Amino acid sequence: MASAKTLKRRRTQALKPESPKSVIEFDDEEEEIDYSDVYCEKCHSGSAADKLLLCDKCDRGFHIFCLKPVLVSVPKGSWFCPSCNNQVKKLKKFPLVQTKIIDFFRIQKPSELVEKPNKDNRKRRKSLLVAKKKRKLLPFTPSEDPKRRLEQMASLATALKACRMVEFSNELTYIRDMAPRSENGAVLEKGGMQVLSKEDSDTLKLCKNMMERGEWPPLMVIFDSEEGFTVEADKFIKDLTIITEYTGDVDYLKNREYGDGDSMMTLLTADDSSQSLVICPDERGNIARFINGINNHMPEGKKKQNLKCVRFDIDGEARVLLIANRDIPRGERLYYDYNGYEHEYPTEHFV
C-alpha cells in the first residue's frame, strides 16, 4: 500500500520520449521523476512510449502489446505488472464465515446447504433427471458436498472483491444514464434472434432457482499469473449443460466504443447501430465475468474452446448464455467463442 503522500498518481502511462519528465501529484506537494530511461521488461525497448505502462508498485515498464494477455488499451487507475499482480491479487482463502457467504449471494434457503435431502427431495430430483433427457439444454449438476459449494462461492466472492466490483448480480441490470430495459427488444436484432424454447427456458429457471438455494454450479475461480482470474470446472460437466448467463449492466454500444472495459459482451446488434446493446460487468456481474475468450488467431486457440456463447430471445428480451459444447473434465479451464464473431471481433487480445 502506498504511503499517504503517494495516493494520487496522475498517470500510469509512461511519457513519450520528447517529454521525459512526469509529475506525481501529492496531497500537498509535487515531485518530479525522470522516466527517460524506462524500457519494457519483456522486449527491452523504450520505443512506443505511449504504449508503455509503469507498474504502480515496482515502477518497471511494460508495453501493453508485450503483456499476456495483450491489453487493448491503457487501463484507467492503478495497474500492477504480472509479478506484482501475482502478489496483490493471488487468490487466498476468502475471509468470510459461512453466514456471510450466504448473505453475499443472497441465498434464500441456507438450511439446504447443510441438511441432507429427505426421501421426497430425492424422489423429486430423480424425476428431474428423467425429464432432462428430453431437453436440448441441461441444468448444471451442483457438487454434492455443501462445504465444497461454499468454497466455490468464496472463490467467486474473492475475485469480485479483488476487481472492486460493486456486487454480485445474476441478472441483467439497468442503471440510470445507461440503456433502459425498454431498449432490450430481441425483435430489434439484425437478421433476427433465435427464441429459447419453453423447456429450455424452464431449465434456465431451474438453474437460477438452484443457485438461489445455494446449490452452486461446479465452477472454481482461480488466479493465474498470465491470464489473471479465470474459471475451471470443479467436477465433470456434460455437453449442452448451461454454465451461466452472462450478466452485468446493459449499455448502448455507442457509449462504450472507446471504453477500456475488458469484459464487454454483445447483447443486441440492431439494424440501427444507435440501438445496439452490450453487457458491461465492470461493477455488477457473475462468474461469466471471469471466463476467458479464446484467441481465434492462434493455432491452438480453437482447441481450447469448450463453451459456446449463444444469444437468445427469452420472453422478448435478448439474453446471453454460456453453454458447454462438449464434455468438460474436472480441472479444465473454461473458454468461450464470443458469439462466434472470430472475424469481426479482435480475438487476438484473448488468451
Side-chain angles (χ1 to χ4, degrees), residues 135-155:
R135 293 171 177 162
K136 181 180 179 182
L137 299 182
L138 305 177
F140 60 78
T141 303
S143 297
E144 293 79 9
D145 183 2
K147 290 183 179 179
R148 189 60 178 173
R149 295 202 296 267
L150 286 173
E151 291 173 5
Q152 293 160 358
M153 287 186 279
S155 73

Side-chain angles (χ1 to χ4, degrees), residues 112-115 117 125 139-153 210 213-220 232-237 330:
E112 293 191 13
L113 284 170
V114 294
E115 292 180 0
R125 291 180 180 179
F140 60 78
T141 303
S143 297
E144 293 79 9
D145 183 2
K147 290 183 179 179
R148 189 60 178 173
R149 295 202 296 267
L150 286 173
E151 291 173 5
Q152 293 160 358
M153 287 186 279
M210 284 194 293
R213 297 195 300 265
E215 296 174 4
W216 208 250
L219 306 172
M220 188 72 74
E232 66 179 31
D234 203 34
K235 66 178 293 185
F236 173 80
I237 298 175
R330 180 180 180 182

Side-chain angles (χ1 to χ4, degrees), residues 8-20:
K8 298 180 180 178
R9 171 168 293 202
R10 185 168 290 171
R11 59 191 298 156
T12 58
Q13 180 180 342
L15 294 179
K16 297 180 180 179
E18 60 266 28
S19 303

Side-chain angles (χ1 to χ4, degrees), residues 29-296:
E29 59 181 323
E30 290 189 349
E31 177 183 319
E32 290 189 348
I33 295 180
D34 189 351
Y35 286 132
S36 59
D37 59 349
V38 172
Y39 62 91
C40 176
E41 296 290 332
K42 297 289 186 180
C43 68
H44 304 291
S45 169
S47 62
D50 59 323
K51 303 295 184 182
L52 194 59
L53 290 174
L54 292 180
C55 175
D56 283 293
K57 186 173 183 181
C58 68
D59 270 336
R60 293 187 300 168
F62 296 83
H63 285 120
I64 62 175
F65 47 78
C66 288
L67 294 167
K68 291 183 179 180
V70 173
L71 292 181
V72 180
S73 60
V74 176
K76 295 179 181 179
S78 299
W79 178 82
F80 301 97
C81 69
S83 177
C84 294
N85 197 37
N86 196 31
Q87 300 174 25
V88 174
K89 289 187 175 181
K90 188 173 183 180
L91 202 61
K92 299 178 180 178
K93 185 177 180 181
F94 197 68
L96 289 183
V97 297
Q98 176 177 326
T99 53
K100 289 190 176 181
I101 287 288
I102 290 169
D103 290 340
F104 188 92
F105 292 106
R106 299 186 290 276
I107 296 170
Q108 295 182 353
K109 298 179 180 180
S111 61
E112 293 191 13
L113 284 170
V114 294
E115 292 180 0
K116 294 182 179 180
N118 57 32
K119 292 182 179 180
D120 291 337
N121 283 337
R122 283 199 295 270
K123 189 179 296 184
R124 179 181 62 84
R125 291 180 180 179
K126 184 176 180 180
S127 65
L128 284 175
L129 291 174
V130 173
K132 71 182 181 183
K133 289 180 181 178
K134 302 176 183 177
R135 293 171 177 162
K136 181 180 179 182
L137 299 182
L138 305 177
F140 60 78
T141 303
S143 297
E144 293 79 9
D145 183 2
K147 290 183 179 179
R148 189 60 178 173
R149 295 202 296 267
L150 286 173
E151 291 173 5
Q152 293 160 358
M153 287 186 279
S155 73
L156 174 56
T158 300
L160 291 168
K161 289 293 187 181
C163 292
R164 299 179 182 178
M165 294 178 69
V166 174
E167 63 180 357
F168 166 81
S169 175
N170 216 22
E171 304 289 343
L172 293 177
T173 47
Y174 299 87
I175 307 300
R176 185 176 180 180
D177 297 327
M178 295 188 192
R181 185 167 186 168
S182 58
E183 289 291 280
N184 183 7
V187 68
L188 299 175
E189 174 68 17
K190 185 177 182 179
M193 182 176 288
Q194 58 184 316
V195 178
L196 192 67
S197 68
K198 174 65 167 60
E199 58 184 1
D200 287 347
S201 293
D202 290 342
T203 301
L204 178 60
K205 290 177 183 177
L206 173 62
C207 291
K208 294 290 185 77
N209 290 337
M210 284 194 293
M211 292 184 69
E212 290 178 357
R213 297 195 300 265
E215 296 174 4
W216 208 250
L219 306 172
M220 188 72 74
V221 183
I222 62 172
F223 184 82
D224 180 274
S225 59
E226 291 190 351
E227 297 186 14
F229 287 111
T230 187
V231 180
E232 66 179 31
D234 203 34
K235 66 178 293 185
F236 173 80
I237 298 175
K238 192 174 181 180
D239 184 21
L240 291 179
T241 295
I242 295 176
I243 301 299
T244 187
E245 179 179 350
Y246 207 100
T247 65
D249 296 339
V250 178
D251 201 2
Y252 292 107
L253 174 61
K254 62 185 179 182
N255 294 343
R256 302 283 179 149
E257 286 182 324
Y258 303 103
D260 59 356
D262 62 353
S263 300
M264 284 193 301
M265 171 60 68
T266 301
L267 177 62
L268 183 66
T269 303
D271 284 310
D272 181 352
S273 60
S274 68
Q275 293 179 294
S276 293
L277 304 176
V278 290
I279 303 171
C280 308
D282 303 322
E283 296 189 350
R284 281 159 284 270
N286 61 8
I287 201 165
R289 163 71 172 78
F290 303 104
I291 298 176
N292 282 319
I294 60 169
N295 187 333
N296 288 315

